[in-house]
Amino acid sequence: MALIFNNRDPVYLQVVRHFKERIATGKLNAGETIPSRRELASQLNINPNTAQKAYKEMEEQGLIVTEGNSPSRITRDNVILGRIREELLTEAVDSFLASVSNIEVPIEQLLSIIRLRLEKAGQAGTEGEGSIS
């Protein structure tokens, strides 16, 4: 499990976001067992207390379920799982809008540029590249 941490956000929140991204992309499935807190701390080279804090946050958000001494698992709650992708997309759009708000681009032009970039990314994806350039 590779994760590159930034210096802006608390590490435990970056870990939570990483799990959300893996769930949203289907790399983690409903009911799937996840590493123990110690295993995660070791894999990511973070403090075990930080891993514990990330797991506590994910439990509070309903992303994971831990019952007794059983390993933690991704929730099977489809409502929660459905919200994850929407939450990540909303955050990305809000960040994008904040970065372009001072340019005062008409929405039609903005949507046109986005469509073109998505089409280009789709073509690159079919050619094996898969990224927006």
Side-chain angles (χ1 to χ4, degrees):
M1 184 179 303
L3 182 56
I4 299 171
F5 297 105
N6 67 51
N7 292 325
R8 296 180 311 271
D9 305 312
V11 171
Y12 82 97
L13 290 178
Q14 293 179 64
V15 172
V16 171
R17 181 176 180 81
H18 178 71
F19 273 86
K20 286 180 178 181
E21 289 171 352
R22 291 178 56 89
I23 292 167
T25 58
K27 292 177 181 156
L28 284 174
N29 299 307
E32 187 172 336
T33 301
I34 59 174
S36 72
R37 287 144 177 83
R38 283 192 184 154
E39 290 171 329
L40 183 74
S42 176
Q43 289 174 2
L44 298 179
N45 198 26
I46 60 175
N47 186 302
N49 292 331
T50 302
Q52 171 62 27
K53 193 169 184 179
Y55 275 53
K56 184 174 188 284
E57 179 67 24
M58 290 190 289
E59 287 171 344
E60 288 175 0
Q61 291 184 23
L63 298 176
I64 64 171
V65 178
T66 307
E67 297 172 349
N69 289 332
S70 299
S72 297
R73 297 181 178 277
I74 302 298
T75 185
R76 293 183 188 274
D77 185 327
N78 289 326
V79 173
I80 291 172
L81 294 172
R83 276 192 235 145
I84 293 170
R85 187 172 179 84
E86 183 178 335
E87 175 188 329
L88 293 174
L89 287 169
T90 300
E91 286 176 11
V93 168
D94 289 348
S95 176
F96 168 73
L97 291 175
S99 69
V100 299
S101 64
N102 291 335
I103 302 173
E104 298 180 11
V105 180
I107 193 163
E108 296 78 18
Q109 182 182 8
L110 202 53
L111 291 173
S112 175
I113 292 168
I114 291 169
R115 277 190 199 97
L116 287 171
R117 300 299 287 173
L118 283 172
E119 288 170 8
K120 185 175 179 180
Q123 289 172 353
T126 58
E127 296 169 5
E129 293 175 23
S131 63
I132 299 175
S133 41

